[in-house]
Amino acid sequence: MKSARVIFKDGIPFSPEFDDIYFNADGPIGQSEYVFNSVFDEIWEKKSEFNVLETGFGAGLNFLCAFKRFKNSDKFLNFVSIEKTPIARDDLAKIYVNFSELADVSGELLDAYPPLIHGFHRLNLAPNVTLTLCFGDVEEVLDELSFIADAVFMDGFAPAKNEAMWSERVCAKIANLCAPGAAVCTYSASGALKRALQDSGFEVNLLKGYGKKREMLRAKFAGERQARSEIWFSRFDPASRAVPKSALVIGGGVAGCVCAFKLRQRGLDVTIAEKRGDIALNGSGNHCGILMPLITKPTVNLGRMHMNAFLQAARFYGQNLGAQEIEFCGATDYAYEQKTLERFYEWREFDADNGVFELKFDYEPYASAFIFKGAKARPRKMCKAASAGIKTLLNCEFAGFETLEGGAVRAHFKDGQSIDTDVLVLAIGSESMELFADYDIRLSSVRGQVTHIEPAVWTPAPFSAKGYVCPPAQGVQVIGATYDRNLFLDEPRSSDDEKNLADVAEFLDGKFTKSERLNLSGEQDLNLTTGSDGEAENLNRLEASSNDINLSKNTYLRAKTTGDPAQAQDASNLTAPENGSNIAAKIPQNVRIIGSKVGYRSYSGDRFPLIGRLYDEDFYKDGYKSLLWTKGKSNPHPKYVPNVYASTAHGSRGLCTAVLGAELICDLIFDRPLCIEKSLFDELHLARFLVRKLKKGLK
């Protein structure tokens, strides 16, 4: 998106677009403390956690002053700031040079500063401080916020220079986010602003201004918040207001381990319960995977959600995991089909310089998007690192739960034991179909098989086309993955290995032939026949999709090379191509399969994950049974199962969306602002499939 043009006048940043300075030249830190952050002195003893809304992030001085105040305290700060034209990171760094007293906090902000792409950006800058930067138009962003603010900082350019930031509509939208008694702080003393605030339910007073400024406004919300539309997707649950001390996470995959990590970070006593003999043995147990977003057309909600999730995931893993778990080497998404190419062209027109990926239309063998923060991930190692130090119960299969008086939850297990907890999180992946069988939720389990080969494609970074290829790790290169909905077969199939290799055949230079398949121990597996109807069907599909496949019982998979024996390479002696950016690279002559892994993933019917509170199915069916006729009228507040949450149906991009799921669950538990737009939160809501039916008059 467009960044702000900043010039400096006598050392003070100035906006030519708005013909105004970013902050007062006469003691900007003093102004921030006097006008804005002094509000904390008034409410400090009343709460342990504070939600702040700011219109106009600008140079970020108000936030930095608040960050410094909260950083070493026992209080929590959740700061949301809106900015339509954000300042580029390099310009912010120039501004912060003059504020040595903020060096510790400004450095942390710069390290985490997001790419300038439209949307919400959650930055966890300290265990007790979150910043949600919202890049976009102020009115549009206010409609996408869902939280209760304790204080509001109105700090846009002067009303005479930027009238849209101070309008009656903006004031009304702010009022709808305010807690009773919430303070609005601003340097402005505009009469129009005073009237707009009064009309929106605020009591307004004139106070002495800072420095040479004679007056400023301070307002207190005394009105009533208006009910939001589509109340059935409300995030709020009055029955879950008690501050929790313990949490039980069901499932030891990426979604469960990351959620457990974040809940422990908030101070909860966390336990993970896993049905298998170790964590990360199902879909999260792959030898390697790719961290990269799903790139859709720019305004498609599914793609917007994935972009938010990817950026959160990259920040989280970068802050908390090491190179043994994840390597940020970038990743390439190839436009191997027309619809992907069309998406890339739309992005070029919409926001080519988005800071997340670079489009390359003259790339071989396809146009591509290089994702700067893409990564080669080691999912099982990531789960181990995230769950380190957290009590983990293995061979502990979940059977169900009951809610207790006072809001606690009792989880039952198939071995007869039970555990009481303040918060229950269901992160059970492919087992979700059984758990939610009595709910109107569209779910399916998908069997995926990846193929392990001796290193055969030289690539410094993972890439995805019809299939995907990871750089080698510990002598193994992972290629994947098949997609078989509702197929339950734990044993690998040779036909699936062939399918995986066929899907990346262009990177293996076209043709290959069937070989013996070896397991990871190096022992030969000679059972190469298509021993079931399912395998035969898969082989037919494989042969129909590629004329280059030639099945035989040779010892190796032979990749076509230049024909010059001098250019043939052994798998143990790979060399980089002359052009290091060309990942379609030199191929060794022999491609050998050394193993396979089968895992199961959970998908929803609309490809969005299921994240949030578990809703009361009976209440929804009764309370909203007339939505076909009443969806535009007043409806009751939804009812949820107290203190029970879900993070599941993450599909094949769970490395990204698992972090979003964990962050959103923390937002709900602790009444923080949402880390994602409300319209996208609604797309993740567990009741969405039922609500769609009820809106159509279906039972």
Side-chain angles (χ1 to χ4, degrees), residues 514-518 523-529 553:
K514 184 71 173 64
S515 78
E516 296 171 335
R517 185 165 59 85
L518 306 181
E523 298 173 353
Q524 294 184 358
D525 178 2
L526 298 178
N527 181 17
L528 301 177
T529 60
K553 290 190 177 180

Side-chain angles (χ1 to χ4, degrees), residues 125-154:
L125 298 174
N128 64 328
V129 176
T130 68
L131 169 63
T132 307
L133 280 174
C134 306
F135 293 158
D137 176 79
V138 63
E139 287 197 35
E140 294 175 2
V141 171
L142 288 169
D143 286 338
E144 292 282 14
L145 293 173
S146 179
F147 70 103
I148 300 176
D150 300 298
V152 179
F153 297 173
M154 297 188 73

